[in-house]
Amino acid sequence: MGDNFLREHAVYQIYPISFADGNGDGKGDLKGVISKLDYLENLGIKIIWLSPIYVSPMFDFGYDIEDYYNINPMFGTMEDFDLLMEETKKRGIRVVMDLVVNHTSDHHKWFKEALSNPESPYRDYYVFKKGKKDEKGRELPPNNWQSCFTGSAWEKVEGEDNMYYLHLFTKYQPDLNWHNEKVLEEVEKIICFWMDKGVYGFRCDVISEIYKESYEDGKKRKIGDPVGSEHYVATQGNHDILKRIRKDVIEPRGGILIGECGGGITPEDGIKYLQDELDTFFQFDTQLCYKNGLSSKISMKKFKKILIEWQTKVDYNGNYFENHDQHRSTNKYVHGKHTDIGAKMILTMLFTLRGVPFIYMGQEVGARDYPKGLPLEECSDCVTHSVYKLARDKFHAPKAFSMMMARKNGRDDARAPMAFDQSEGYGFSALGVKPWQRYNPYSETYNYEAEKDDPHSIVNYFKKVNQLREGNQILIDGKIDFLDTDDKILNYVRVLNHEGYMVILNLTDKKVKYPYGFERIEKEHVLANYDDEAKFLRPYEARVYKINKKEEK
Ligand code: NOJ
């Protein structure tokens, strides 16, 4: 699998509410996106992915869709969308939409109808089940499944006897019933509607979890996998549905599908997804290998092992370090004080690994998490609040600890408004406008205007790595082989037709010795995040050399 255009270009993710405010209400919108297309073109971006812009109550910031066929008035109108399609086309940029079909919003007319009239055909669009009773006659949900966002995955239906509906995320996001052929038909209709408007394809939200194979109690209790997930992650039914969608509506229109495949999928599942279902996908293993359960920092030792496994087993990964659900890579993967160099090392890895590089808005300028986080009352993410509540109410944890856990799991940091320049609104919004979420003080330093004329800036480094990969068949198609080094170094070669690149990355903030000796590499230095060369690798040093295959080892 793998559409050529997607293989050849990085994808730039836009989180619309925080990208650019075109109408001065403090929230990003489609007019704002249009106003920044020259910026994106100048960065060399060829594909953008828009997080959901459909009508939504925004409880989960658009990942709760009320109407799949209309634009959220907060983001503009269908005319704005059509203009976006025209303007992107002029610049040779393709647009990927987010497709959220594991669940809808509870405001969706299908769900409202399902609730108000149990006899309606829409009842079977969702998963309604009778609860159980324990030996004392007390009511229990239909099974022990947990929501990915804490608590039971079942919500009791008010006014009905012992009846529940399933929600793998919040109770405002009821799960669709993918056993119902009608649901598939509706989703195919939605896909066609947007593809006929010219979109290139879809990033499919939690797509590995849509088909529930059984409703038995869950047994697995692995960190990161909610109870019950063995009954719905990467099921055969899920594979069959994706094959069907691909064949029915994606292939005939020349579109693409990018899967968000959570729930602990294995590389073997990933291989299947790439056969005739998805063009590429995101796994979560490389995001979840924290130093320990309390830390929000990644253990680079664990990361290296997991990354090599995915890179070696799976043909074309969707590689990413950041998105709207994660902390900034400079906070999560880079430890210590060398964060600018670290940001460049991460970018080097992202653009030289095998697979599609996904970049999240702001990553190109080295955006950071808020220095001290946001106070709870300023956090808008539902996960931040549910984790805090769980820690306080269920575990009676002290406030500071609860806040620490909420901040680790919460997603407010990466959702700060973008910083393009040094004006009062950082080019996100106009002077005097209060942004929907507080500006990050780091915007002062990490913004395009401040960096554009500095040859050493992160954004100029970003342009170089992006440029290096553009049209570069070795980096696009070349195989990847990892050299044996200790945990502190990641060393690989990308080779195609006897030509290749050697990439050497110091994954730590310490000085380390490179075991093979640089003098052994018959090299042409292509890219590095330090100006000069040293005999050892400095903190987060990244070097890329052009090599001939015989010098590979
Ligand atoms: C994954 C999305 O990236 C996240 O933002 C959302 O909350 C969940 N899926 C539920 O839709």
Side-chain angles (χ1 to χ4, degrees):
M1 194 92 303
D3 172 272
N4 278 343
F5 196 79
L6 181 66
R7 284 172 88 95
E8 283 165 12
H9 304 290
V11 180
Y12 184 98
Q13 184 194 354
I14 291 178
Y15 196 61
I17 196 171
S18 296
F19 189 60
D21 173 14
N23 67 354
D25 67 354
K27 293 173 184 148
D29 47 40
L30 291 178
K31 282 204 169 72
V33 176
I34 295 168
S35 74
K36 301 296 182 192
L37 289 178
D38 290 342
Y39 168 80
L40 296 171
E41 192 181 10
N42 176 266
L43 289 180
I45 300 300
K46 297 276 188 277
I47 306 173
I48 56 174
W49 146 32
L50 295 172
S51 275
I53 52 170
Y54 315 92
V55 177
S56 159
M58 299 293 273
F59 186 77
D60 191 16
F61 287 86
Y63 285 92
D64 45 337
I65 297 173
E66 177 176 338
D67 176 356
Y68 289 91
Y69 294 98
N70 279 297
I71 303 292
N72 188 336
M74 174 191 286
F75 297 133
T77 61
M78 197 56 95
E79 286 68 47
D80 295 333
F81 182 80
D82 292 338
L83 184 61
L84 174 71
M85 295 311 296
E86 263 175 51
E87 291 297 319
T88 44
K89 198 164 171 202
K90 275 188 205 159
R91 293 166 175 84
I93 295 176
R94 300 195 188 183
V95 178
V96 171
M97 299 275 277
D98 222 302
L99 185 74
V100 188
V101 290
N102 173 67
H103 45 268
T104 68
S105 157
D106 63 336
H107 289 211
H108 196 289
K109 62 176 189 227
W110 301 336
F111 191 67
K112 286 188 185 160
E113 189 61 29
L115 271 190
S116 66
N117 175 12
E119 300 310 314
S120 119
Y122 293 109
R123 185 77 167 189
D124 197 35
Y125 274 37
Y126 296 90
V127 184
F128 286 89
K129 295 237 175 277
K130 280 274 181 203
K132 293 197 250 186
K133 293 228 161 78
D134 68 10
E135 56 293 349
K136 291 197 176 123
R138 283 177 304 211
E139 276 191 14
L140 292 173
N143 64 31
N144 67 350
W145 293 7
Q146 282 176 335
S147 145
C148 305
F149 286 174
T150 73
S152 167
W154 297 93
E155 181 68 11
K156 197 157 185 305
V157 180
E158 256 178 61
E160 286 187 43
D161 182 32
N162 196 23
M163 183 59 79
Y164 292 76
Y165 70 84
L166 178 71
H167 59 88
L168 289 188
F169 295 88
T170 72
K171 64 179 179 181
Y172 308 111
Q173 296 161 295
D175 275 43
L176 285 165
N177 173 18
W178 278 91
H179 289 256
N180 183 349
E181 177 75 14
K182 281 266 171 250
V183 168
L184 180 91
E185 284 168 19
E186 297 276 11
V187 170
E188 291 193 339
K189 231 169 82 189
I190 296 165
I191 290 177
C192 295
F193 175 83
W194 291 101
M195 291 212 67
D196 291 347
K197 282 196 160 285
V199 314
Y200 175 39
F202 299 87
R203 172 271 189 191
C204 309
D205 192 64
V206 289
I207 204 67
S208 50
E209 308 186 7
I210 60 174
Y211 188 87
K212 284 76 182 173
E213 204 156 53
S214 88
Y215 290 93
E216 306 276 296
D217 275 347
K219 293 199 176 64
K220 197 159 80 176
R221 276 174 199 276
K222 211 179 94 197
I223 295 180
D225 299 348
V227 175
S229 56
E230 72 268 38
H231 297 296
Y232 57 77
V233 172
T235 56
Q236 186 52 48
N238 178 222
H239 289 292
D240 295 343
I241 286 166
L242 286 174
K243 278 192 197 14
R244 172 88 188 271
I245 292 180
R246 174 147 213 117
K247 191 158 154 285
D248 290 353
V249 290
I250 294 293
E251 244 163 42
R253 288 168 178 76
I256 55 148
L257 293 176
I258 299 161
E260 187 206 27
C261 295
I265 66 153
T266 61
E268 289 65 38
D269 298 323
I271 292 167
K272 272 175 103 176
Y273 280 126
L274 292 186
Q275 271 163 20
D276 43 11
E277 301 169 28
L278 302 170
D279 290 274
T280 189
F281 65 88
F282 310 126
Q283 46 75 21
F284 280 63
D285 290 355
T286 45
Q287 285 285 340
L288 294 175
C289 43
Y290 294 107
K291 283 183 160 178
N292 57 57
L294 299 181
S295 176
S296 49
K297 298 271 185 204
I298 288 294
S299 150
M300 293 311 274
K301 183 176 168 181
K302 292 184 200 163
F303 167 82
K304 176 179 167 178
K305 190 163 167 269
I306 291 169
L307 177 83
I308 293 179
E309 189 184 357
W310 279 97
Q311 283 284 315
T312 322
K313 290 191 174 160
V314 171
D315 182 38
Y316 228 64
N317 285 276
N319 298 317
Y320 70 106
F321 289 89
E322 295 191 16
N323 65 33
H324 63 292
D325 293 333
Q326 307 299 333
H327 288 275
R328 292 292 184 177
S329 56
T330 34
N331 294 76
K332 192 169 166 178
Y333 294 86
V334 177
H335 315 154
K337 55 183 194 296
H338 304 277
T339 50
D340 285 11
I341 285 285
K344 294 176 189 167
M345 184 278 286
I346 295 286
L347 287 172
T348 315
M349 185 173 1
L350 183 60
F351 280 82
T352 55
L353 286 173
R354 189 175 154 89
V356 184
F358 285 81
I359 171 124
Y360 179 60
M361 62 177 211
Q363 190 178 355
E364 73 275 24
V365 293
R368 310 287 142 115
D369 285 356
Y370 289 91
K372 294 196 177 80
L374 287 174
L376 187 62
E377 55 289 2
E378 282 187 42
C379 293
S380 326
D381 177 26
C382 52
V383 173
T384 310
H385 289 279
S386 58
V387 170
Y388 184 81
K389 199 167 169 333
L390 182 79
R392 293 288 290 153
D393 298 355
K394 188 156 178 217
F395 298 106
H396 309 291
K399 280 188 181 164
F401 180 84
S402 308
M403 198 54 218
M404 188 182 96
M405 293 316 286
R407 195 164 176 229
K408 171 183 167 170
N409 295 290
R411 306 170 295 179
D412 303 280
D413 279 290
R415 299 178 179 184
M418 260 296 277
F420 296 95
D421 62 36
Q422 285 161 304
S423 66
E424 197 195 278
Y426 299 106
F428 164 74
S429 190
L431 198 92
V433 172
K434 190 168 182 283
W436 77 277
Q437 182 170 298
R438 190 204 281 221
Y439 290 120
N440 185 325
Y442 282 123
S443 301
E444 206 60 46
T445 316
Y446 298 104
N447 67 70
Y448 179 69
E449 197 68 26
E451 296 183 24
K452 74 175 195 315
D453 298 325
D454 174 2
H456 294 105
S457 68
I458 297 173
V459 83
N460 281 321
Y461 194 84
F462 167 77
K463 281 189 190 173
K464 276 191 225 157
V465 285
N466 189 31
Q467 204 52 51
L468 177 67
R469 191 178 180 279
E470 283 286 303
N472 186 329
Q473 290 314 316
I474 302 171
L475 291 179
I476 295 166
D477 283 329
K479 69 182 179 90
I480 190 161
D481 281 319
F482 290 87
L483 277 79
D484 193 18
T485 56
D486 72 14
D487 297 332
K488 302 185 186 78
I489 298 171
L490 188 66
N491 190 186
Y492 48 94
V493 287
R494 299 291 314 277
V495 177
L496 186 75
N497 302 332
H498 308 292
E499 270 195 285
Y501 288 97
M502 154 90 78
V503 181
I504 307 171
L505 306 170
N506 179 356
L507 301 176
T508 74
D509 64 342
K510 308 273 177 321
K511 208 165 98 171
V512 294
K513 189 165 176 292
Y514 178 60
Y516 299 110
F518 301 115
E519 52 298 333
R520 287 192 46 211
I521 310 168
E522 183 72 22
K523 62 202 178 203
E524 183 195 322
H525 211 155
V526 178
L527 192 76
N529 59 355
Y530 281 82
D531 271 350
D532 52 349
E533 290 204 15
K535 290 207 163 56
F536 44 83
L537 288 169
R538 287 154 291 183
Y540 296 118
E541 181 154 5
R543 302 187 187 191
V544 182
Y545 297 111
K546 186 89 194 292
I547 53 163
N548 294 321
K549 190 165 190 308
K550 60 179 168 35
E551 275 105 22
E552 189 184 319
K553 284 270 146 75

